Amino acid sequence: MTNILFEHPLNEKMRTWLRIEFLLAQLQGSRYIADHLTALTFFRNMGDLLDVFDRGELRTEMTKELERQQQKLLAWADVPGVDMAVVEQLRDRLKAQSSQLLAAPRIGQLLREDRLIALVRQRLSIPGGCCSFDLPTLHIWLHIDQAQRDRQVDIWLASLSPLSDTLTIILDLIRQSATFRTHTSLNGFFQDNAEGADLLRLQLTLEDSLYPQVSGHKSRYAIRFLPLDSEHGEVPARLDFGLACC
């Protein structure tokens, strides 16, 4: 039996963070650039990432979240049997990550100032706008030594490390803040409260051939389960699924 995990953000902050995590993973997966196909995959994800950066105060939001997570860890001090050495170690890690984030240059600044990234980014919205006669700079860059090109990509991605490392810690803590519990939907519908939660995580089996459509945010949400085959698929009267409200 194959389980499939679905995640749904319950606020705009989490929506942005999940999109950034997705784009960072795409960048890592396409970091080996050998031709126009792999180059445009990489640069398109880079352009999307810079667009997301331009829409909010990422550093401020993440610094606040690191502080919030530190305060949550302090609350464990009153719980019997808790290994405080582990808690303090994690708090120290959060403090160090906060310092690293605050000391880093503006998020994405090196990428915005890079001439090649800027040239490609300008042409991506034009159909076929990145071919060799439109972008001779990219064309010749794709013919330089692979090791040299790899080093350039490493520099670009390294500039994102303060953001990437911070985001990994934050999302790991949020995801681990709740365990999966079995719930049952009736005729494909389920609703509940989510006071103070940031993220819904749902587990369905591939054999169910269903996917969730989530609506609502902040304190209340509703889930409607829909068949992958919209014409012939069926939704059972009772469906058990895993849910973690983080």
Side-chain angles (χ1 to χ4, degrees), residues 96-115:
Q97 195 60 52
S98 182
S99 298
Q100 180 189 356
L101 185 64
L102 290 171
R106 183 188 174 201
I107 294 175
Q109 189 62 34
L110 181 144
L111 305 175
R112 291 185 188 90
E113 295 174 351
D114 188 278
R115 182 170 176 268

Side-chain angles (χ1 to χ4, degrees), residues 13-245:
K13 172 188 69 179
M14 181 58 65
R15 189 181 306 275
T16 298
W17 290 350
L18 290 180
R19 284 176 174 156
I20 292 174
E21 180 188 45
F22 172 78
L23 290 168
L24 287 172
Q26 300 304 302
L27 280 177
Q28 288 292 339
S30 59
R31 65 185 301 159
Y32 181 80
I33 299 175
D35 50 29
H36 272 86
L37 175 62
T38 51
L40 293 184
T41 300
F42 180 89
F43 286 114
R44 186 167 284 109
N45 282 302
M46 183 69 77
D48 287 348
L49 191 62
L50 291 175
D51 286 344
V52 175
F53 289 170
D54 291 338
R55 293 175 192 161
E57 292 294 328
L58 279 175
R59 193 200 304 263
T60 302
E61 289 289 343
M62 288 187 171
T63 303
K64 288 180 180 178
E65 184 63 28
L66 288 171
E67 178 61 33
R68 185 173 79 101
Q69 292 295 337
Q70 289 182 55
Q71 294 303 317
K72 288 177 69 175
L73 286 171
L74 276 177
W76 284 98
D78 299 326
V79 178
V82 169
D83 188 339
M84 286 307 298
V86 174
V87 172
E88 287 301 323
Q89 184 180 23
L90 187 50
R91 288 192 70 231
D92 289 344
R93 185 182 172 199
L94 291 173
K95 290 177 184 177
Q97 195 60 52
S98 182
S99 298
Q100 180 189 356
L101 185 64
L102 290 171
R106 183 188 174 201
I107 294 175
Q109 189 62 34
L110 181 144
L111 305 175
R112 291 185 188 90
E113 295 174 351
D114 188 278
R115 182 170 176 268
L116 179 59
I117 292 176
L119 287 171
V120 177
R121 198 178 173 196
Q122 289 171 2
R123 307 293 302 182
L124 282 172
S125 60
I126 302 171
C130 294
C131 60
S132 60
F133 65 83
D134 279 316
L135 271 178
T137 309
L138 175 63
H139 187 63
I140 192 172
W141 187 72
L142 289 173
H143 283 80
I144 66 175
D145 184 68
Q146 182 69 51
Q148 185 179 345
R149 199 159 52 245
D150 290 344
R151 285 193 294 272
Q152 180 61 66
V153 172
D154 288 343
I155 291 171
W156 289 336
L157 294 182
S159 73
L160 295 171
S161 291
L163 164 77
S164 178
D165 294 345
T166 302
L167 188 62
T168 296
I169 292 174
I170 288 173
L171 292 180
D172 281 351
L173 287 173
I174 290 174
R175 285 170 172 140
Q176 293 170 18
S177 67
T179 57
F180 282 97
R181 297 179 179 177
T182 300
H183 294 269
T184 303
S185 73
L186 301 177
N187 297 315
F189 184 76
F190 180 85
Q191 63 180 352
D192 202 356
N193 296 317
E195 191 68 43
D198 293 303
L199 180 69
L200 289 181
R201 310 184 79 210
L202 294 90
Q203 281 185 341
L204 296 172
T205 68
L206 182 61
E207 290 74 17
D208 292 328
S209 293
L210 301 170
Y211 63 92
Q213 190 175 73
V214 183
S215 59
H217 63 289
K218 292 185 179 178
S219 61
R220 191 160 185 81
Y221 64 90
I223 306 170
R224 188 168 295 280
F225 295 96
L226 301 172
L228 184 59
D229 185 343
S230 58
E231 292 187 14
H232 306 292
E234 295 182 355
V235 179
R238 297 177 64 87
L239 172 72
D240 292 337
F241 65 97
L243 176 68
C245 191

